[in-house]
Short mmCIF file of all heavy atoms in Angstrom, two decimals:
data_model
loop_
_atom_site.label_atom_id
_atom_site.label_comp_id
_atom_site.label_asym_id
_atom_site.label_seq_id
_atom_site.Cartn_x
_atom_site.Cartn_y
_atom_site.Cartn_z
N ILE A 17 23.21 -19.87 23.50
CA ILE A 17 21.96 -19.55 22.79
C ILE A 17 21.13 -18.56 23.61
O ILE A 17 20.55 -17.61 23.08
CB ILE A 17 21.17 -20.83 22.50
CG1 ILE A 17 21.92 -21.68 21.46
CG2 ILE A 17 19.78 -20.51 21.99
CD1 ILE A 17 21.31 -23.04 21.22
N SER A 18 21.10 -18.74 24.92
CA SER A 18 20.34 -17.83 25.78
C SER A 18 20.93 -16.42 25.75
O SER A 18 20.20 -15.43 25.72
CB SER A 18 20.33 -18.35 27.22
OG SER A 18 19.70 -19.61 27.28
N ALA A 19 22.24 -16.33 25.76
CA ALA A 19 22.88 -15.00 25.73
C ALA A 19 22.60 -14.29 24.42
O ALA A 19 22.27 -13.09 24.40
CB ALA A 19 24.39 -15.16 25.95
N VAL A 20 22.72 -15.02 23.30
CA VAL A 20 22.44 -14.41 22.00
C VAL A 20 20.96 -14.03 21.90
O VAL A 20 20.59 -12.94 21.41
CB VAL A 20 22.85 -15.37 20.86
CG1 VAL A 20 22.38 -14.84 19.51
CG2 VAL A 20 24.34 -15.58 20.87
N GLY A 21 20.07 -14.90 22.38
CA GLY A 21 18.63 -14.60 22.35
C GLY A 21 18.28 -13.40 23.20
O GLY A 21 17.46 -12.57 22.82
N ALA A 22 18.92 -13.28 24.37
CA ALA A 22 18.66 -12.13 25.24
C ALA A 22 19.12 -10.84 24.59
O ALA A 22 18.45 -9.80 24.67
CB ALA A 22 19.34 -12.32 26.60
N ALA A 23 20.27 -10.89 23.93
CA ALA A 23 20.76 -9.69 23.24
C ALA A 23 19.82 -9.28 22.11
O ALA A 23 19.49 -8.09 21.94
CB ALA A 23 22.17 -9.94 22.70
N LEU A 24 19.35 -10.26 21.33
CA LEU A 24 18.40 -9.95 20.25
C LEU A 24 17.08 -9.43 20.80
O LEU A 24 16.47 -8.53 20.22
CB LEU A 24 18.18 -11.20 19.39
CG LEU A 24 19.36 -11.66 18.55
CD1 LEU A 24 19.02 -12.95 17.82
CD2 LEU A 24 19.77 -10.58 17.56
N ALA A 25 16.63 -9.97 21.93
CA ALA A 25 15.39 -9.50 22.55
C ALA A 25 15.53 -8.06 23.03
O ALA A 25 14.61 -7.25 22.89
CB ALA A 25 15.00 -10.41 23.72
N CYS A 26 16.70 -7.71 23.57
CA CYS A 26 16.93 -6.33 24.01
C CYS A 26 16.93 -5.37 22.82
O CYS A 26 16.36 -4.28 22.89
CB CYS A 26 18.25 -6.24 24.76
SG CYS A 26 18.23 -7.00 26.39
N ILE A 27 17.54 -5.78 21.72
CA ILE A 27 17.55 -4.94 20.52
C ILE A 27 16.13 -4.76 19.97
O ILE A 27 15.72 -3.66 19.60
CB ILE A 27 18.49 -5.55 19.46
CG1 ILE A 27 19.94 -5.48 19.94
CG2 ILE A 27 18.34 -4.83 18.13
CD1 ILE A 27 20.92 -6.22 19.05
N ALA A 28 15.37 -5.86 19.94
CA ALA A 28 13.98 -5.78 19.45
C ALA A 28 13.14 -4.89 20.36
O ALA A 28 12.31 -4.10 19.88
CB ALA A 28 13.38 -7.17 19.37
N ALA A 29 13.34 -4.98 21.67
CA ALA A 29 12.59 -4.14 22.60
C ALA A 29 12.95 -2.67 22.41
O ALA A 29 12.08 -1.79 22.45
CB ALA A 29 12.87 -4.57 24.04
N ALA A 30 14.23 -2.38 22.18
CA ALA A 30 14.65 -0.99 21.95
C ALA A 30 14.02 -0.43 20.69
O ALA A 30 13.53 0.71 20.66
CB ALA A 30 16.17 -0.93 21.87
N ILE A 31 13.99 -1.24 19.62
CA ILE A 31 13.38 -0.80 18.37
C ILE A 31 11.88 -0.58 18.57
O ILE A 31 11.30 0.40 18.07
CB ILE A 31 13.66 -1.81 17.26
CG1 ILE A 31 15.16 -1.82 16.92
CG2 ILE A 31 12.85 -1.50 16.01
CD1 ILE A 31 15.57 -2.91 15.95
N ALA A 32 11.23 -1.47 19.30
CA ALA A 32 9.79 -1.34 19.53
C ALA A 32 9.47 -0.07 20.33
O ALA A 32 8.50 0.63 20.04
CB ALA A 32 9.27 -2.57 20.26
N VAL A 33 10.29 0.23 21.34
CA VAL A 33 10.07 1.45 22.13
C VAL A 33 10.19 2.69 21.25
O VAL A 33 9.37 3.61 21.30
CB VAL A 33 11.05 1.50 23.32
CG1 VAL A 33 11.05 2.87 23.97
CG2 VAL A 33 10.69 0.44 24.35
N ASP A 34 11.23 2.74 20.43
CA ASP A 34 11.42 3.91 19.58
C ASP A 34 10.35 4.02 18.50
O ASP A 34 9.89 5.12 18.18
CB ASP A 34 12.81 3.86 18.94
CG ASP A 34 13.88 4.40 19.86
OD1 ASP A 34 13.53 4.87 20.96
OD2 ASP A 34 15.07 4.34 19.51
N LEU A 35 9.93 2.88 17.93
CA LEU A 35 8.85 2.93 16.94
C LEU A 35 7.54 3.41 17.56
O LEU A 35 6.79 4.18 16.96
CB LEU A 35 8.66 1.56 16.29
CG LEU A 35 9.74 1.13 15.29
CD1 LEU A 35 9.46 -0.27 14.78
CD2 LEU A 35 9.83 2.12 14.14
N GLY A 36 7.27 2.95 18.79
CA GLY A 36 6.07 3.43 19.47
C GLY A 36 6.14 4.91 19.77
O GLY A 36 5.15 5.64 19.61
N ALA A 37 7.32 5.39 20.19
CA ALA A 37 7.49 6.82 20.45
C ALA A 37 7.33 7.63 19.17
O ALA A 37 6.72 8.71 19.17
CB ALA A 37 8.85 7.08 21.08
N LEU A 38 7.85 7.11 18.05
CA LEU A 38 7.70 7.80 16.77
C LEU A 38 6.24 7.86 16.33
O LEU A 38 5.77 8.89 15.83
CB LEU A 38 8.54 7.10 15.70
CG LEU A 38 10.03 7.38 15.70
CD1 LEU A 38 10.75 6.51 14.70
CD2 LEU A 38 10.29 8.85 15.40
N ALA A 39 5.52 6.77 16.49
CA ALA A 39 4.10 6.75 16.11
C ALA A 39 3.29 7.73 16.95
O ALA A 39 2.44 8.46 16.43
CB ALA A 39 3.54 5.34 16.25
N LEU A 40 3.55 7.77 18.25
CA LEU A 40 2.84 8.70 19.13
C LEU A 40 3.18 10.14 18.78
O LEU A 40 2.31 11.00 18.72
CB LEU A 40 3.19 8.41 20.58
CG LEU A 40 2.52 9.30 21.63
CD1 LEU A 40 1.00 9.14 21.57
CD2 LEU A 40 3.04 8.95 23.02
N HIS A 41 4.45 10.41 18.50
CA HIS A 41 4.85 11.77 18.15
C HIS A 41 4.25 12.18 16.80
O HIS A 41 3.89 13.34 16.60
CB HIS A 41 6.36 11.87 18.12
CG HIS A 41 6.86 13.27 17.95
ND1 HIS A 41 6.77 14.21 18.96
CD2 HIS A 41 7.43 13.91 16.90
CE1 HIS A 41 7.28 15.35 18.54
NE2 HIS A 41 7.69 15.20 17.29
N ALA A 42 4.17 11.23 15.86
CA ALA A 42 3.57 11.54 14.56
C ALA A 42 2.11 11.93 14.71
O ALA A 42 1.62 12.85 14.03
CB ALA A 42 3.70 10.34 13.62
N ARG A 43 1.39 11.30 15.64
CA ARG A 43 0.00 11.69 15.89
C ARG A 43 -0.07 13.09 16.48
O ARG A 43 -0.97 13.88 16.16
CB ARG A 43 -0.65 10.68 16.83
CG ARG A 43 -0.90 9.33 16.19
CD ARG A 43 -1.60 8.38 17.13
NE ARG A 43 -2.91 8.87 17.50
CZ ARG A 43 -3.72 8.27 18.36
NH1 ARG A 43 -3.34 7.15 18.93
NH2 ARG A 43 -4.90 8.76 18.63
N LYS A 44 0.87 13.42 17.38
CA LYS A 44 0.89 14.77 17.95
C LYS A 44 1.18 15.82 16.88
O LYS A 44 0.56 16.88 16.86
CB LYS A 44 1.94 14.84 19.06
CG LYS A 44 1.58 14.08 20.31
CD LYS A 44 2.66 14.23 21.36
CE LYS A 44 2.31 13.45 22.62
NZ LYS A 44 3.39 13.56 23.65
N VAL A 45 2.12 15.51 16.00
CA VAL A 45 2.45 16.46 14.92
C VAL A 45 1.26 16.62 13.98
O VAL A 45 0.95 17.74 13.55
CB VAL A 45 3.70 15.97 14.15
CG1 VAL A 45 3.97 16.86 12.95
CG2 VAL A 45 4.90 15.97 15.08
#
């Protein structure tokens, strides 16, 4: 369960980083 949860947390963190970068870039555009 810990391994699966860690993998899902890494995926969620990656999505959050990219969404934040997209939002910041959209403001610049």
Side-chain angles (χ1 to χ4, degrees):
I17 292 174
S18 299
V20 172
L24 291 176
C26 289
I27 293 173
I31 293 173
V33 167
D34 277 356
L35 286 178
L38 282 173
L40 180 62
H41 188 71
R43 290 182 62 183
K44 289 181 181 178
V45 174

